[in-house]
Amino acid sequence: PAYWIDEMDNVAIGFNDDGNNRRIKFTIRGNPKVLVRHRTARGFMYNPSKASQDLFRDCLLEALPQEYHPIIIDSGDSDSDEPTVMFPEHEFLKLSLTFRMKRPNNHFIGSKPGPGRLKPNAPLKYYNNRSGDVDNLCKFVMDSLNQVLYADDRQVVCLNAIKVLDSDGDCKGSTDVEISVLNDEDENNIM
């Protein structure tokens, strides 16, 4: 599969003592993908990344406790059928992403991937392997989570992202996501 959740992975949902500042943290396994620019064909615009984004979203929904799934209420007016999500539209969000990129086969002894098979001279963390710009990796995740965890990715006003090589297990890649409501303390730490 393109994306999956391991048994040891879980979705962590937390709250501050006052019940505010909700946050969620999860990992989706699989080599991170970039958002491919939307295309036009025969007068119609389409999203070439839609199938991959749907798989990413479905993987999260499978692991997400049922009470946090978006709720869609059909009022009969299709313009106002916005889902009820964990982070409503009036909240501003902080998003932290770690993209663990799949290692190329030449990083492994005998070019055979597997635990404990990394070559001693293989790069440890950072490697420019044309796997996509970090901003396009972010766009893929942010668009995938629209109307699932938050109403719209415009709510994200603070973004931290890093792209590293995967060094865990079979080194097949993963995406670590943490979303929280931005508060004044976060803003002071950023500035």
Side-chain angles (χ1 to χ4, degrees):
Y3 296 107
W4 68 95
I5 300 254
D6 276 349
E7 299 154 2
M8 62 186 173
D9 297 329
N10 61 2
V11 175
I13 299 171
F15 298 89
N16 280 358
D17 294 335
D18 61 4
N20 292 325
N21 198 20
R22 288 173 317 288
R23 64 186 169 281
I24 183 170
K25 186 174 184 178
F26 58 92
T27 298
I28 304 288
R29 302 286 170 177
N31 198 29
K33 296 186 179 186
V34 298
L35 182 68
V36 178
R37 202 173 293 217
H38 287 55
R39 308 227 191 265
T40 304
R42 297 184 183 145
F44 295 98
M45 183 170 280
Y46 70 98
N47 176 2
S49 298
K50 183 177 180 352
S52 295
Q53 287 178 304
D54 288 346
L55 290 171
F56 187 91
R57 183 181 302 116
D58 292 346
C59 195
L60 169 62
L61 288 171
E62 186 179 313
L64 193 64
Q66 189 66 38
E67 65 263 26
Y68 295 104
H69 281 225
I71 300 169
I72 301 173
I73 300 170
D74 186 7
S75 65
D77 179 14
S78 62
D79 292 339
S80 64
D81 294 338
E82 293 295 319
T84 303
V85 291
M86 184 175 177
F87 300 102
E89 198 165 7
H90 68 275
E91 295 179 324
F92 297 105
L93 305 176
K94 174 182 176 183
L95 176 62
S96 298
L97 299 168
T98 302
F99 299 102
R100 300 181 195 289
M101 308 306 289
K102 179 180 177 182
R103 285 185 175 268
N105 287 345
N106 65 6
H107 285 199
F108 297 95
I109 297 169
S111 293
K112 295 180 183 175
R117 297 189 52 84
L118 273 178
K119 290 180 181 176
N121 62 346
L124 295 178
K125 262 193 168 182
Y126 308 109
Y127 176 68
N128 187 4
N129 61 352
R130 301 184 190 266
S131 59
D133 296 341
V134 74
D135 62 321
N136 289 325
L137 291 164
C138 292
K139 288 175 193 174
F140 178 90
V141 172
M142 291 171 66
D143 282 357
S144 297
L145 300 179
N146 273 341
Q147 298 190 350
V148 175
L149 293 178
Y150 43 73
D152 194 281
D153 57 7
R154 288 179 292 195
Q155 294 172 248
V156 176
V157 295
C158 179
L159 176 65
N160 297 317
I162 187 167
K163 180 174 82 166
V164 297
L165 286 169
D166 194 354
S167 295
D168 295 334
D170 289 338
C171 305
K172 292 184 177 179
S174 65
T175 303
D176 300 332
V177 180
E178 184 171 358
I179 305 171
S180 62
V181 176
L182 190 69
N183 59 36
D184 293 337
E185 185 179 305
D186 290 328
E187 186 179 339
N188 292 335
N189 291 335
I190 294 167
M191 298 299 174

